[in-house]
Amino acid sequence: MLLAYAFRPFFLLTALYAASLVAAWTAFLFGGLPLPLGVNPVQWHAHELLFGMMPAAIAGFLLTAMCNWTGAPPLKGGGLLALILLWTAGRVAMWLSGWLPLWLVAAIDLAFLPAMAAYVAQVLLRHGNYRNLVLVALLSLLTGANLAMHLGFSGIWLIGGRLGEVLALDLIATIMVVIGGRITPAFTANWLRMRGKDPTQVRRSEALDRAAFWSMVAMVPVDLAMPFPVLASLMALFAALVNGWRLHAWRGWKASGEPLIWILHFAMAWIVVALLLKAMTPWLALSPSVWMHAMGAGAGGTLILGVMTRVAVGHTGRPMRLPRLAIWIYIAVITAGAVRVIAAFVPQLAYPALTVSAVAWVVAFLLFVLIYWPILSRPRADGRPG
């Protein structure tokens, strides 16, 4: 069953990798765990979260959602297995980067995103679904950010590692704004409708959606001009205001009784917070680590688990509710993100805060594996294929 639909293996791989990566990183930092790394350990850690964990989550969602968008059959069986092995090869290469030539590590790791983007583009074009080609463009740009990091690792482009990290966060945040901007208001309105309430309370505006999207895209060229932090600050402030306005229009508090809904609003609020922190960075002399962890650990971790916990039940024919004890997944990931930002804000608390954040992060993703493995590895509850 695991190869029947992309969300099944990729969601489990996302959670397993997120937990193992942070556990190993914490053991390396505080316990001296030897890792055979041929690259800067801090940037390796960032790379694997941005180009290891995140793309697996994107693949699980995107390869599943586009079947609904186009009516195309899902990628399954041998084709899906090939894509999984390509992703896995990249992770093995990065973990063994101290024992392999860096050009070979880069070649293996860079293969996954273009392969996924090419497949998605083929399906969308075949079915005339041009609207979602923007996601293919973002995946292609994300490949460029990954290349920049590898050029930094090899010493060919000294600032490539840091620049690739920032651009990757910008692009992943843009993907979150696109995907979250579609599912969050739609799910909220549907939830209100099913309970006999007025779904029009959830207000959507195409103009506001476009503004939110382009405000995020505009940060990419601005961040490429790294010597101009004030311009980056102003762009981040504008993006925060637009995305905050849009989030308010979705009326998330109206669905505060449904965890599968409010967690999505919470994740989108993290994006606004991260953008505000980015805007304040040059003025308050904050470490860039503050906004970067708010966007990555906060928004990224929360949205990934919010989407995975919902899609896992919705696409396996089960009741649309959070399984027993799964609320602790949300509590743990929110704690992990908040405490990690505190660690970046207050260096004096770094050791205990990093420890608490890491433990909470690992607990959140391992809980997902434990609770959702039976759901994702078994046939649909309603007997339908998929």
Side-chain angles (χ1 to χ4, degrees):
M1 284 309 301
L2 282 175
L3 296 178
Y5 236 112
F7 72 91
R8 292 176 177 270
F10 273 116
F11 282 1
L12 289 173
L13 286 170
T14 297
L16 286 168
Y17 195 61
S20 60
L21 178 63
V22 170
W25 175 245
T26 307
F28 169 79
L29 281 182
F30 302 135
L33 175 72
L35 294 174
L37 304 181
V39 301
N40 180 301
V42 174
Q43 290 188 343
W44 172 86
H45 164 69
H47 179 277
E48 287 307 281
L49 285 170
L50 294 170
F51 296 105
M53 179 195 74
M54 294 285 188
I58 292 169
F61 174 83
L62 184 55
L63 295 174
T64 300
M66 72 177 188
C67 297
N68 294 335
W69 300 338
T70 64
L75 179 65
K76 60 183 178 180
L80 178 56
L81 179 60
L83 197 59
I84 291 169
L85 292 176
L86 199 59
W87 176 85
T88 304
R91 310 291 53 79
V92 172
M94 286 300 301
W95 279 75
L96 302 181
S97 57
W99 297 343
L100 299 172
L102 289 181
W103 66 264
L104 180 59
V105 173
I108 296 171
D109 178 57
L110 284 165
F112 176 72
L113 281 169
M116 178 171 65
Y119 174 76
V120 172
Q122 177 188 6
V123 173
L124 294 178
L125 288 170
R126 187 190 310 138
H127 291 82
N129 191 289
Y130 305 116
R131 175 194 180 202
N132 289 301
L133 286 174
V134 64
L135 293 169
V136 176
L138 291 171
L139 291 175
S140 301
L141 291 172
L142 197 57
T143 302
N146 194 7
L147 176 60
M149 288 205 78
H150 280 286
L151 292 175
F153 293 154
S154 64
I156 295 174
W157 190 19
L158 294 180
I159 65 169
R162 188 62 171 174
L163 185 60
E165 188 179 339
V166 172
L167 295 179
L169 270 173
D170 285 346
L171 293 165
I172 289 169
T174 304
I175 292 172
M176 291 192 292
V177 164
V178 172
I179 292 175
R182 293 180 184 177
I183 65 175
T184 305
F187 292 163
T188 306
N190 289 340
W191 185 86
L192 291 172
R193 185 181 297 107
M194 287 188 297
R195 279 149 187 80
K197 299 179 182 179
D198 181 12
T200 62
Q201 295 177 87
V202 179
R203 300 173 187 170
R204 294 196 62 178
S205 163
E206 288 189 11
L208 198 52
D209 287 344
R210 286 194 296 270
F213 170 75
W214 287 110
S215 70
M216 302 299 292
V217 171
M219 288 195 300
V220 174
V222 170
D223 281 334
L224 279 170
M226 293 183 74
F228 305 102
V230 172
L231 181 58
S233 168
L234 294 175
M235 285 305 309
L237 178 60
F238 177 71
L241 294 174
V242 172
N243 280 277
W245 183 11
R246 185 173 73 148
L247 179 62
H248 179 268
W250 296 340
R251 303 294 194 269
W253 60 89
K254 299 288 185 179
S256 59
E258 176 50 67
L260 287 172
I261 300 292
W262 64 249
I263 192 63
L264 300 176
H265 289 270
F266 203 101
M268 300 305 288
W270 259 121
I271 295 176
V272 177
V273 170
L275 291 169
L276 288 173
L277 290 171
K278 184 178 183 180
M280 291 189 292
T281 294
W283 309 105
L284 300 182
L286 299 177
S287 166
S289 176
V290 176
W291 81 261
M292 294 172 82
H293 281 99
M295 189 68 78
T302 304
L303 188 61
I304 283 172
L305 284 169
V307 170
M308 293 198 310
T309 50
R310 183 183 181 91
V311 171
V313 292
H315 280 267
T316 57
R318 287 168 171 81
M320 194 61 72
R321 62 172 178 265
L322 201 61
R324 192 170 68 90
L325 299 181
I327 189 65
W328 289 101
I329 296 174
Y330 296 167
I331 294 171
V333 76
I334 290 170
T335 300
V339 176
R340 185 60 188 86
V341 172
I342 291 171
F345 247 123
V346 189
Q348 299 88 334
L349 298 177
Y351 182 86
L354 284 172
T355 303
V356 170
S357 176
V359 169
W361 179 274
V362 171
V363 166
F365 283 95
L366 284 185
L367 270 178
F368 176 85
V369 175
L370 291 173
I371 295 171
Y372 283 86
W373 182 281
I375 294 172
L376 292 168
S377 61
R378 292 175 183 169
R380 287 180 60 108
D382 56 11
R384 293 170 57 192

